[in-house]
């Protein structure tokens, strides 16, 4: 893969950068600017080299047309503060305003194009439509730097197609993410423990098949756990359950036994009356969840068990909260796992936190990010990497 250094002298050159600025918003207030901060090394490197930097990114899920609710204006403001230079926001994606904004840039200045998903061609399944947006983007720049790790698993115009029409290089963030994830996939230091949780159960089951040939221990918590408990023949009450995945999970349990992979499931569950912050709740055995209760966290004995399986690991990957950590009463399991990762890291383990909500949990529960080896900015992308899937936004840079 070409890096920014391989692009040669960038002074006065227009460089298009795909960043991931898909930050959580409350109205127009950015509630977590982690992804903007993560984009800074590449942008600073380019402005420092005297490039005229043109950034493209998406925010939320607009429906292929302009929608003020998803304007990148708040991002432009925050990015300007963090970079210490004004960021010139174009009013459109590749229209008159974008062209004028880019043309007015001086060396070392930064333009931000409006939300790329205001243009329906960005996510089109039709190759020619994406290619036509890529051509429009390419007309605004002399080179392309791919740095939106959160989208490299997407075959989209600003991620994949544009890299085929401009001299293209990998950005600092994507480089760092890929190096970190490689440490977990290519000859990981052992024991290698993987902790999976969260609520996107069917999305995440796919990664398990691959991990069963790689990891030594697989710890399952969060909403995912109930499909496993059901596969073992237990009742799960009103808990999150993907009934159509029970057979798949049974297969995983069999394969794990054959491969000598230890699957660690919770022995106790915090069961609530309802999905609410102030719901009455009690700790019950994992194989005795009452029919009218909903499991919202792993129990305290399980938290201890999980921690013991994490602290002496040499490689730990964690994706997905152990419970509904947004409600304090159900944050215990997530807190214990985060602490165990910090402890393992302090003892020399290599630890990765992946997944938007998991990274947010680490921050909102007050952990110092420096306690982890790597906090990934891309949930889906990091999972697909761990699954061993081809990531179009990466492989296009390798060809
Ligand atoms: P990530 O973004 O880290 O990949 P997900 O998006 O898969 O994680 O899931 C995060 C969400 O999972 C959190 O909002 C959390 O409240 C929820 N969650 C965790 N455990 C449970 C549970 N037992 N029941 C319902 N939701 C859960
Ligand atoms: Mg999530």
């Amino acid at each position: 893969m070409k890096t920014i250094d391989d692009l040669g002298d960038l002074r006065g050159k227009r460089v298009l950068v795909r960043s991931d600025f898909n930050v959580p918003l409350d109205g127009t207030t950015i509630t977590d600017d982690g992804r903007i901060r993560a984009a800074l090394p590449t942008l600073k490197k380019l402005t420092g080299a005297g490039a005229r930097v043109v950034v493209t990114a998406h925010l939320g899920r607009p429906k292929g047309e302009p929608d003020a609710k998803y304007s990148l204006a708040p991002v432009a403001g925050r990015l300007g503060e963090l970079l210490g230079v004004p960021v010139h926001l174009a009013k459109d994606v590749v229209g008159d305003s974008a062209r004028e904004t880019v043309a007015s840039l001086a060396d070392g200045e930064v333009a931000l194009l409006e939300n790329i998903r205001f243009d329906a061609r960005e996510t089109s399944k039709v190759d020619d439509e994406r290619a036509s947006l890529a051509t429009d983007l390419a007309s605004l720049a002399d080179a392309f730097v791919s740095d939106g790790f959160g989208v490299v698993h997407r075959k989209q115009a600003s991620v994949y197609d544009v890299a085929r029409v401009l001299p293209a290089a990998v950005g600092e963030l994507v480089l760092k993410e890929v190096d970190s994830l490689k440490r977990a996939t290519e000859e990981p230091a052992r024991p290698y423990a993987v902790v999976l949780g969260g609520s996107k159960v069917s999305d995440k089951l796919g990664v398990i098949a691959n991990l069963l040939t790689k990891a030594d221990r697989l710890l399952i918590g969060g909403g995912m756990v109930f499909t496993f408990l059901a596969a073992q023949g237990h009742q799960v009450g009103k808990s999150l359950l993907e009934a159509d995945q029970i057979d798949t999970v049974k297969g995983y349990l069999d394969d794990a036994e054959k491969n000598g992979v230890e699957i660690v499931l919770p022995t106790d569950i915090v069961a609530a009356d309802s999905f609410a912050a102030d719901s009455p709740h009690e700790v019950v055995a994992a194989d005795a969840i009452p029919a009218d209760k909903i499991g919202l966290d792993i129990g305290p004995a399980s938290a201890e068990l999980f921690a013991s399986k994490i602290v002496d690991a040499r490689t730990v990957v964690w994706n997905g909260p152990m419970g509904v950590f947004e409600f304090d009463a159900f944050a215990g399991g997530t807190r214990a796992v985060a602490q165990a990762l910090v402890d393992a890291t302090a003892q020399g383990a290599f630890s990765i936190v992946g997944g938007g909500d998991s990274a947010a949990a680490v921050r909102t529960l007050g952990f110092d990010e420096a306690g982890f080896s790597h906090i990934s900015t891309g949930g889906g992308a990091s999972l697909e990497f761990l699954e061993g899937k081809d990531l179009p936004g990466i492989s296009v840079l390798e060809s």
Side-chain angles (χ1 to χ4, degrees), residues 198-200 204 319-321 326 355-358 379-380:
S199 56
K200 290 188 216 150
K204 293 186 183 185
N319 180 297
E326 296 91 338
D357 292 291
S358 309

Side-chain angles (χ1 to χ4, degrees), residues 256-344:
E257 196 162 338
K258 273 184 224 134
N259 297 355
V261 176
E262 185 184 5
I263 295 212
V264 184
L265 293 174
T267 54
D268 58 350
I269 295 288
V270 184
D273 291 355
S274 66
F275 189 97
D278 58 356
S279 167
H281 53 274
E282 59 182 341
V283 176
V284 301
D287 59 2
I289 301 174
D292 58 345
K293 303 269 182 191
I294 175 171
L296 294 184
D297 194 10
I298 61 171
S302 309
E304 230 172 90
L305 171 70
F306 280 31
S308 75
K309 299 287 180 187
I310 293 168
V311 280
D312 67 340
R314 305 283 300 154
T315 306
V316 192
V317 172
W318 171 33
N319 180 297
M322 295 294 99
V324 182
F325 72 93
E326 296 91 338
F327 303 154
D328 202 44
F330 310 108
T334 302
R335 193 177 279 118
V337 161
Q339 185 60 52
L341 258 82
V342 170
D343 294 344

Side-chain angles (χ1 to χ4, degrees), residues 96-120:
D96 290 343
S97 173
R99 275 192 298 275
E100 281 158 23
T101 307
V102 173
S104 70
L105 286 180
D107 295 359
E109 286 195 341
V110 179
L112 176 61
L113 306 180
E114 244 315 352
N115 193 332
I116 185 80
R117 291 196 189 165
F118 286 178
D119 191 315

Side-chain angles (χ1 to χ4, degrees), residues 123-182:
T123 57
S124 171
K125 298 280 171 255
V126 181
D127 291 353
D128 287 349
E129 290 181 8
R130 288 196 321 274
S132 102
L133 176 55
T135 306
D136 289 350
L137 285 168
S139 73
L140 297 172
D142 306 299
F144 174 65
V145 171
S146 177
D147 208 33
F149 182 71
V151 286
V152 289
H153 59 314
R154 305 278 186 215
K155 196 171 184 180
Q156 296 177 343
S158 70
V159 179
Y160 171 82
D161 301 83
V162 74
R164 303 178 60 189
V165 290
L166 280 176
V170 62
E172 304 285 301
L173 174 63
V174 171
L175 211 52
K176 179 165 155 256
E177 293 268 11
V178 169
D179 282 349
S180 296
L181 289 163
K182 275 190 178 159

